Amino acid sequence: MPISLHAAFVPSGLQMIGTGRHLLKKGEAWCDAQGKDHSDVLNARIIEDMLPFTYQMKCIAEHTVGSLAAVQAGVYSPDLNPPPGTFADLHAKLDSAEAALGALTEEQMESWVGQDMRFEFKDMKMDFTAENFLLSFAQPNFYFHAATAYDILRMLGVEVGKRDFTGAVRIKMPS
């Protein structure tokens, strides 16, 4: 049986939202244990020309649920609003994204297959089908931003490892 668009996208999106939530908890706990201000994590960047931890977290949500909303509208333009500025607000953003992803049905998403979809940013325009946008653009982006948030924590000295990034893998359950 072929895999559905829902099965190819939603579980991975939920997994990375869970990773984001876990990384938020680790970052906040590290600040508290080290006596650091929360902004030491929230505003941290790997290098000056990269966006901060808050933006990386925002983008996990934007490239999961934001991408799905864009498919329904037929166009995706990056959300340039500032990211939430606190751990609590970032948790709320991820919680909202998780709820929206969890509410999507396979039937809804399968109805999008073959639908035209466009990415627009400044002078750049790229045309996709809905499934190619989700699987070749949105999905790599939510992985990238989750990995970058993880890397920021590692750079700061927060004790995180591979399992903190992979999160809840989907293992086969015994019969």
Side-chain angles (χ1 to χ4, degrees):
M1 178 172 129
I3 189 169
S4 70
L5 182 56
H6 184 279
F9 187 84
V10 171
S12 295
L14 290 170
Q15 185 175 348
M16 287 300 103
I17 288 170
T19 290
R21 184 179 293 110
H22 178 71
L23 294 175
L24 284 172
K25 289 177 186 173
K26 295 282 275 196
E28 185 172 17
W30 180 81
C31 284
D32 295 345
Q34 299 290 320
K36 303 259 186 197
D37 191 85
H38 287 180
S39 66
D40 290 346
V41 167
L42 296 170
N43 297 326
R45 301 167 187 252
I46 293 173
I47 193 165
E48 197 55 39
D49 69 349
M50 288 186 79
L51 292 162
F53 184 82
T54 54
Y55 187 86
Q56 306 307 325
M57 285 293 157
K58 171 191 169 187
C59 286
I60 295 169
E62 292 301 321
H63 286 290
T64 53
V65 73
S67 293
L68 293 168
V71 166
Q72 293 176 59
V75 66
Y76 180 88
S77 292
D79 175 3
L80 300 178
N81 291 310
T86 67
F87 284 109
D89 290 343
L90 289 166
H91 274 289
K93 181 134 184 101
L94 292 177
D95 290 346
S96 176
E98 180 180 57
L101 270 175
L104 281 171
T105 66
E106 187 171 337
E107 293 76 27
Q108 273 179 292
M109 289 188 71
E110 288 306 294
S111 74
W112 302 342
V113 172
Q115 174 182 310
D116 288 339
M117 174 67 206
R118 175 176 271 198
F119 171 86
E120 295 181 354
F121 184 64
K122 298 181 182 179
D123 293 336
M124 183 189 316
K125 293 178 177 27
M126 295 187 291
D127 292 319
F128 294 93
T129 60
E131 63 275 20
N132 286 337
F133 171 74
L134 291 173
L135 299 176
S136 75
F137 183 86
Q139 194 169 60
N141 268 286
F142 66 68
Y143 283 120
F144 171 82
H145 292 289
T148 302
Y150 168 90
D151 292 341
I152 289 170
L153 293 181
R154 288 281 300 179
M155 177 195 71
L156 292 172
V158 177
E159 289 187 29
V160 290
K162 187 184 242 182
R163 287 185 181 169
D164 295 298
F165 177 79
T166 56
V169 295
R170 297 178 298 275
I171 60 173
K172 181 179 177 182
M173 300 305 287
S175 302

